[in-house]
Amino acid sequence: MTTLTSPPRTTHTAAQVELAGVTRTFGAVVALAGVDLTIPAGSLTVIVGPSGCGKSTILRTIAGLDSPDGGVLRIGADDVTSRSPGERDVTMVFQDYALFPHMTVEGNISFGLRLQARHDRRSGPKREQIRTRVGDVAALLGLEDLLGRRPAQLSGGQRQRVALARAIVRRPSLLLLDEPLSALDPQLRASARAEIIRLHRELGTTLVLVTHDQQEALSTATHLVVMERGVVAQSGSPDELYRRPASEFVAAFLGSPPMNLHDRGGLRIGWRPTDGQLESRSADALPIEGVVESCEYTGDGQHVRCTGPDGGFMLVQREGERWLVPGDSVRVAVPTERLHRFGPDGTRLS
Amino acid sequence: MSDLSTARRTVPLAAAGWHLLLIALSLVTVFPLLWAILTSFKPANEVFDLAPVSAHPTIANYTDVLTRWPAGELVGRTAVMATGVAAGQLVIAVLAAFALAHARRRARSVVLLLTTLSLAIPPQALIVPQFLLAARLGWLNTEAGLIVPQLGSSALAVLVLLQHVEALPPSLTAAARLEGARPHEVLWHVVLPGLRPAIAALGVLVFITTWNEYLWPLLITPDSLHTTVQVGLAQFETAEGINYGGLLAAATLTSLPIVVVYFAASRRITDAFLTSGLR
Amino acid sequence: MTVHGTSRTTTRSGWGYLAPLLVALGLWIYGPALVTLALSFSDWRLTDDPTWSGLDNVRALLGDGDFIRSALQTMLYALGLLPFATVVPLGIATMLWMRPGRSALIYRSLLFLPVMIAPVSGAVAWRFLLNPLQGLLTRMLEAAGLPPVDLLGSPSTALLTIVVITAARVTAFNMLLYGAALSGLDRRLLEAARLERASTWETMRFVVLPQLVRPTIVLALLSLVLAGQWTFTNVAVLTQGGPDHTTDSVYYRIYTLGFGFFQIGQASAAAMLVLVALAVVGAAVLLVQRGRRYE
């Protein structure tokens, strides 16, 4: 992977990740119940799902920190199912950053490279090369002035960047991130998210990110994977999953506010709150009736909660419309092409 | 200290009572030791006098001890033993704790059981075979005989260090492994730095405990001139009977280093015990 | 609680890391334990080879008045030290914890002194103080017009004296353990109690002490089991089991049988009997603990 005199690269090799039939059980708990997943090379893949769905286990399995009970894991062309974590060309940013408290920022970032140098005295990186590479990465992430500090002296955002630096300095073909934004203040989250997207574009390596926040997932991913109870519920582009959810679960999981769901003739009908049209008499639409229960002001509009004969539902109103108030009767028309139908087992019907 | 000041405001009398009680207890505890030290400065004929401090204080007892008694050799040998046992137990414990923290459940349970059980076996049940083995190895009256058999008592160090290793965030070892660190590198770069305070505290504790050890040195180095300080003290008798002044001077001399070491390290020791969850 | 998932490559090196511990335990603890077990069924005086003698040793011991007596006295030691292993250090540690500050630190250091002094040094100091002819105690009694007492030399007082001498060390050490347990408690409990206008005593009784029940039970049992151990050095240095075997403990008996009379077989058998007794107590404890869980 490393050569003696290679010029600094701005693009890395990106690996495709393939999981086939991967299972993992912890005692009585089934964490992974047969996962089949392909993560495209060079993508920014986000794995999202409720707690207990297995997303963290998947990440640890890809990293090699956990060995699956069954199934095959491939990174690039290699079967790495039983390979040790240090030999997979994978790096990871942990949720708590896992910075080595007794090393400086520079020490943390250079740790993997220094180990490489020691394991491979002939063709491993030399001290000068290590210093240069650490310097480059530090510059990329704005850490130049912090190289001599210890993790305890850094803020949360700075620690995250150090963790990122450590993960990218070895130019991995696969970079994993475990809930990278959940430890940050809400204000920092947006800029950190933009940072990750920027890095992905500049490095070109495959990024796999795990989160429980579906909004974050939708806005960050180039490839989105929704997991439910140890299996992949659906994977594809964020647009695909949002517009054509393969199951009721995915439909209800993605989107904020969540999809409205009603029982109709043995099936489940779903529509997004933004797709409902007030005061429209279109014939090619499903009418939903109800009474307004409460309204939540969101700054650029309001979320309106209603109940009706078909159950409860939510509407989204924008600024400029005549705002509903509690007690109003409501009649919504949902265009047929915006309706989602799900069978009794939850899967999508065309 | 807000609750302290408020408490004092409301019940000043109770505070005084508390102080009195603790002073009394402290006096009772410290008294024999204090008296022993004071006596060591008395000339031989005043050793049993009621007066705490002699009219003619002297350091003759001390000079006597230092010249006629092989104090240096005994202290030196005891120091070698204590250091050897502390170092040996620490090495054993660090390696074992690291392995146990990352071991599979069954292996870990078995080894832990064996380790904990070893604490429950009274030493007197083992001394005969231990002595026979050490003697057969030719270790009678040797440093090896003093040190090596006591390494079997590493159980406590293992348990304390195990708690400390498990208190380290698991993501640290995971991160190190991902960086390509092999087990011994994980131990050296990630785990050991985190264990430094615990190792220091344990080292001091084992050193002190071993320094105070009486039974085993008595058996393995019976020659009172070439043994450890404790055995030497216990056998401090001359043809004329016990020279108490000298005996107490010797006891003071040999206890002082330990007390100093303890005071210097007391904070570390309590902290190490706290984190180890010995509750 | 495993830190890693299973990783086959590290298992082999794992056993390598455990080897020193296992070797040490095997050679110096469990090996000797097994040898003691074997020797307990043999007759060996170190002069020739050991010969099998079955349960003769056990019979001899159970018929030996001195041994029975030492067993009873060991239990007396346990009972005598019990308050010094539980109530006393508990009280002191609690008092120190409820009123932290510089003075508390000083008291704690002073009261911990007995642990730092080597047992032999302590014993030697006591031997001096209790010297029947001229020791401090005798001198003080003389000054008060009372006859001298030989605490360590009188069959009626020797055991009690050993208990008292050992107590200081036991109390000091257990004070440390209680202190550790207390430091894990939330100080806000004290503040909450203060808000409820609880007195110091009430706080202690209803807030602090209930939290310490579990360590107390553990320490109580530990003291029962280890009491004989704690007294060993004092007995060895001060009374050597006497006068008239009144300060003998099973542990000291094992020592004298093995290294005094060279009755290796009997010494081993005695050690085995002690182990069995401890195992019984331990099992009883576990049963009680398990029973308590269903209360």
Side-chain angles (χ1 to χ4, degrees):
Chain A
M1 181 82 205
T2 52
T3 57
L4 278 171
T5 53
S6 58
R9 282 180 282 183
T10 48
T11 52
H12 303 192
T13 52
Q16 169 184 282
V17 184
E18 226 181 285
L19 292 107
V22 172
T23 54
R24 183 74 167 109
T25 313
F26 294 105
V29 179
V30 177
L32 301 176
V35 173
D36 296 299
L37 177 62
T38 303
I39 295 174
S43 64
L44 204 181
T45 298
V46 177
I47 304 180
V48 70
S51 31
C53 68
K55 53 192 195 293
S56 295
T57 314
I58 283 280
L59 207 68
R60 290 177 61 85
T61 307
I62 298 175
L65 298 172
D66 205 54
S67 294
D69 295 327
V72 177
L73 169 69
R74 264 184 272 271
I75 297 181
D78 305 325
D79 180 341
V80 299
T81 322
S82 43
R83 207 183 284 184
S84 74
E87 295 170 12
R88 299 185 179 201
D89 199 23
V90 177
T91 59
M92 182 156 151
V93 176
F94 291 81
Q95 193 171 354
D96 64 356
Y97 311 137
L99 298 182
F100 305 124
H102 296 90
M103 296 182 204
T104 60
V105 166
E106 175 159 20
N108 265 278
I109 300 176
S110 63
F111 184 62
L113 292 175
R114 285 185 284 133
L115 284 176
Q116 258 180 14
R118 200 171 313 148
H119 294 168
D120 191 359
R121 288 195 188 274
R122 256 181 301 116
S123 54
K126 302 287 179 285
R127 212 180 314 164
E128 265 312 306
Q129 284 175 290
I130 297 180
R131 202 172 308 153
T132 321
R133 282 168 68 168
V134 170
D136 290 343
V137 154
L140 189 65
L141 286 164
L143 297 168
E144 308 97 309
D145 299 326
L146 302 173
L147 285 175
R149 298 229 193 133
R150 297 266 155 118
Q153 300 164 299
L154 302 174
S155 72
Q158 291 169 330
R159 283 184 210 167
Q160 198 219 30
R161 282 184 277 147
V162 175
L164 269 170
R166 183 175 69 185
I168 64 183
V169 78
R170 286 197 299 146
R171 302 185 193 137
S173 51
L174 180 58
L175 171 54
L176 309 174
L177 299 103
D178 190 0
E179 308 250 16
L181 305 179
S182 51
L184 295 175
D185 295 331
Q187 298 94 316
L188 268 175
R189 252 176 240 172
S191 53
R193 197 171 0 154
E195 187 91 343
I196 292 176
I197 297 175
R198 170 180 81 96
L199 272 177
H200 176 241
R201 221 172 341 156
E202 291 206 26
L203 301 173
T205 186
T206 312
L207 241 71
V208 180
L209 199 156
V210 154
T211 180
H212 61 274
D213 185 337
Q214 49 89 25
Q215 259 181 316
E216 193 177 292
L218 280 171
S219 54
T220 325
T222 64
H223 184 82
L224 183 57
V225 178
V226 174
M227 286 196 66
E228 183 198 5
R229 278 190 261 165
V231 287
V232 174
Q234 190 175 0
S235 72
S237 71
D239 188 65
E240 206 179 302
L241 268 72
Y242 187 79
R243 298 227 172 278
R244 297 183 59 79
S247 70
E248 194 183 324
F249 172 78
V250 177
F253 186 77
L254 295 173
S256 181
M259 183 180 283
N260 297 309
L261 290 160
H262 310 282
D263 288 312
R264 271 289 172 93
L267 305 172
R268 295 279 273 171
I269 307 278
W271 54 281
R272 300 252 177 228
T274 40
D275 289 339
Q277 291 163 0
L278 284 171
E279 292 157 36
S280 144
R281 301 254 170 231
S282 168
D284 198 17
L286 182 75
I288 309 272
E289 286 180 348
V291 172
V292 176
E293 294 264 333
S294 63
C295 304
E296 284 166 23
Y297 179 62
T298 57
D300 58 348
Q302 66 170 4
H303 292 174
V304 181
R305 211 175 279 275
C306 313
T307 5
D310 291 306
F313 57 91
M314 225 129 68
L315 289 175
V316 171
Q317 282 197 298
R318 292 274 135 75
E319 215 185 308
E321 302 176 19
R322 183 190 68 85
W323 278 14
L324 297 165
V325 288
D328 282 353
S329 308
V330 159
R331 200 168 188 282
V332 185
V334 184
T336 346
E337 69 265 18
R338 298 289 192 171
L339 280 175
H340 306 260
R341 287 184 197 81
F342 303 102
D345 64 345
T347 48
R348 177 184 202 74
L349 304 168
S350 43
Chain B
M1 297 283 157
S2 58
D3 51 316
L4 187 58
S5 52
T6 323
R8 285 226 178 98
R9 231 193 300 130
T10 51
V11 197
L13 213 57
W18 169 78
H19 276 286
L20 268 169
L21 182 57
L22 282 168
I23 292 176
L25 280 167
S26 305
L27 276 176
V28 168
T29 312
V30 170
F31 179 72
L33 312 168
L34 200 57
W35 194 262
I37 298 178
L38 290 172
T39 308
S40 66
F41 289 107
K42 294 184 189 172
N45 56 330
E46 295 179 30
V47 149
F48 292 107
D49 287 357
L50 270 180
V53 184
S54 154
H56 318 283
T58 170
I59 57 166
N61 291 317
Y62 285 91
T63 53
D64 225 30
V65 161
L66 288 170
T67 51
R68 302 238 226 109
W69 197 49
E73 181 176 348
L74 295 184
V75 168
R77 181 163 295 107
T78 317
V80 166
M81 172 185 73
T83 315
V85 173
Q89 284 199 6
L90 280 175
V91 168
I92 291 179
V94 165
L95 293 175
F98 180 64
L100 284 173
H102 298 85
R104 266 191 283 245
R105 205 168 304 146
R106 217 179 307 142
R108 178 199 141 95
S109 306
V110 168
V111 176
L112 262 186
L113 183 64
L114 283 176
T115 311
T116 322
L117 224 55
S118 76
L119 285 174
I121 305 179
Q124 288 83 0
L126 305 172
I127 45 172
V128 173
Q130 281 175 338
F131 179 76
L132 293 173
L133 177 59
R136 192 155 300 179
L137 288 168
W139 285 350
L140 198 60
N141 283 312
T142 63
E143 271 78 8
L146 277 174
I147 296 176
V148 177
Q150 293 199 67
L151 297 180
S153 315
S154 303
L156 190 63
V158 172
L159 294 175
V160 170
L161 280 185
L162 179 60
Q163 297 268 18
H164 277 83
V165 172
E166 289 180 339
L168 295 175
S171 54
L172 280 183
T173 30
R177 284 173 72 205
L178 266 177
E179 296 288 314
R182 305 193 179 134
H184 68 275
E185 287 165 335
V186 175
L187 175 60
W188 184 262
H189 292 280
V190 176
V191 176
L192 267 181
L195 287 180
R196 249 185 252 140
I199 289 177
L202 261 180
V204 170
L205 208 63
V206 176
F207 183 90
I208 294 179
T209 323
T210 314
W211 180 280
N212 294 346
E213 186 59 36
Y214 177 60
L215 178 57
W216 180 250
L218 178 65
L219 297 177
I220 197 74
T221 51
D223 178 0
S224 68
L225 293 177
H226 299 288
T227 179
T228 66
V229 144
Q230 311 305 332
V231 180
L233 268 181
Q235 299 172 341
F236 197 95
E237 281 184 42
T238 65
E240 305 97 54
I242 305 176
N243 167 12
Y244 276 113
L247 175 58
L248 294 175
T252 311
L253 261 184
T254 54
S255 299
L256 234 41
I258 294 302
V259 175
V260 166
V261 166
Y262 174 73
F263 272 113
S266 64
R267 204 348 89 81
R268 289 170 175 272
I269 296 183
T270 27
D271 286 348
F273 266 96
L274 297 189
T275 326
S276 76
L278 267 183
R279 326 190 162 154
Chain C
M1 195 217 329
T2 52
V3 179
H4 285 338
T6 53
S7 178
R8 283 149 267 239
T9 50
T10 50
T11 308
R12 226 171 298 130
S13 54
W15 287 109
Y17 284 76
L18 282 176
L21 174 64
L22 295 174
V23 167
L25 285 179
L27 268 185
W28 300 105
I29 305 284
Y30 288 107
L34 290 172
V35 170
T36 303
L37 179 61
L39 286 175
S40 61
F41 297 115
S42 73
D43 183 17
W44 195 21
R45 318 280 170 106
L46 282 184
T47 43
D48 332 295
D49 297 324
T51 53
W52 183 263
S53 64
L55 291 171
D56 286 353
N57 290 323
V58 177
R59 266 182 237 124
L61 285 171
L62 292 178
D64 181 2
D66 288 337
F67 181 74
I68 303 290
R69 181 178 202 166
S70 69
L72 290 171
Q73 278 161 191
T74 311
M75 287 190 263
L76 281 179
Y77 279 131
L79 286 173
L81 285 173
L82 189 58
F84 293 103
T86 50
V87 177
V88 176
L90 173 56
I92 300 177
T94 309
M95 274 196 290
L96 288 173
W97 181 74
M98 284 175 64
R99 310 239 185 180
R102 209 170 302 148
S103 39
L105 261 152
I106 298 177
Y107 289 129
R108 193 174 286 134
S109 298
L110 285 177
L111 291 168
F112 197 63
L113 224 46
V115 178
M116 294 184 271
I117 308 297
V120 174
S121 302
V124 146
W126 280 105
R127 186 203 230 169
F128 167 68
L129 288 173
L130 296 178
N131 182 307
L133 296 174
Q134 303 174 298
L136 185 64
L137 181 63
T138 304
R139 281 292 165 105
M140 282 167 61
L141 290 172
E142 277 175 5
L146 295 166
V149 223
D150 186 3
L151 286 179
L152 287 172
S154 313
S156 50
T157 56
L159 190 138
L160 201 57
T161 314
I162 297 282
V163 168
V164 171
I165 294 177
T166 315
R169 207 183 167 77
V170 169
T171 303
F173 192 78
N174 286 14
M175 210 181 71
L176 179 71
L177 296 180
Y178 275 119
L182 280 165
S183 65
L185 292 184
D186 198 345
R187 259 183 205 281
R188 289 177 294 186
L189 288 176
L190 289 181
E191 285 178 22
R194 187 164 53 92
L195 280 172
E196 302 279 335
R197 297 175 182 273
S199 73
T200 315
W201 171 242
E202 285 167 345
T203 311
M204 199 158 134
R205 189 161 159 243
F206 296 111
V207 175
V208 181
L209 293 187
Q211 307 259 8
L212 295 175
V213 169
R214 205 163 160 270
T216 306
I217 297 183
V218 171
L219 285 173
L221 293 164
L222 229 66
S223 88
L224 288 174
V225 165
L226 295 176
Q229 300 272 39
W230 292 333
T231 55
F232 183 86
T233 308
N234 286 328
V235 169
V237 172
L238 293 171
T239 59
Q240 293 85 48
D244 294 337
H245 300 290
T246 45
T247 58
D248 226 353
S249 71
V250 248
Y251 302 100
Y252 196 72
R253 197 87 205 124
I254 296 173
Y255 170 68
T256 26
L257 279 171
F259 291 92
F261 301 124
F262 299 112
Q263 298 252 35
I264 309 290
Q266 281 203 15
S268 305
M272 281 292 119
L273 285 176
V274 170
L275 269 177
V276 167
L278 289 178
V280 168
V281 171
V285 164
L286 281 174
L287 281 174
V288 167
Q289 266 211 333
R290 210 155 287 173
R292 273 179 141 258
R293 233 169 261 159
Y294 292 111
E295 273 174 25

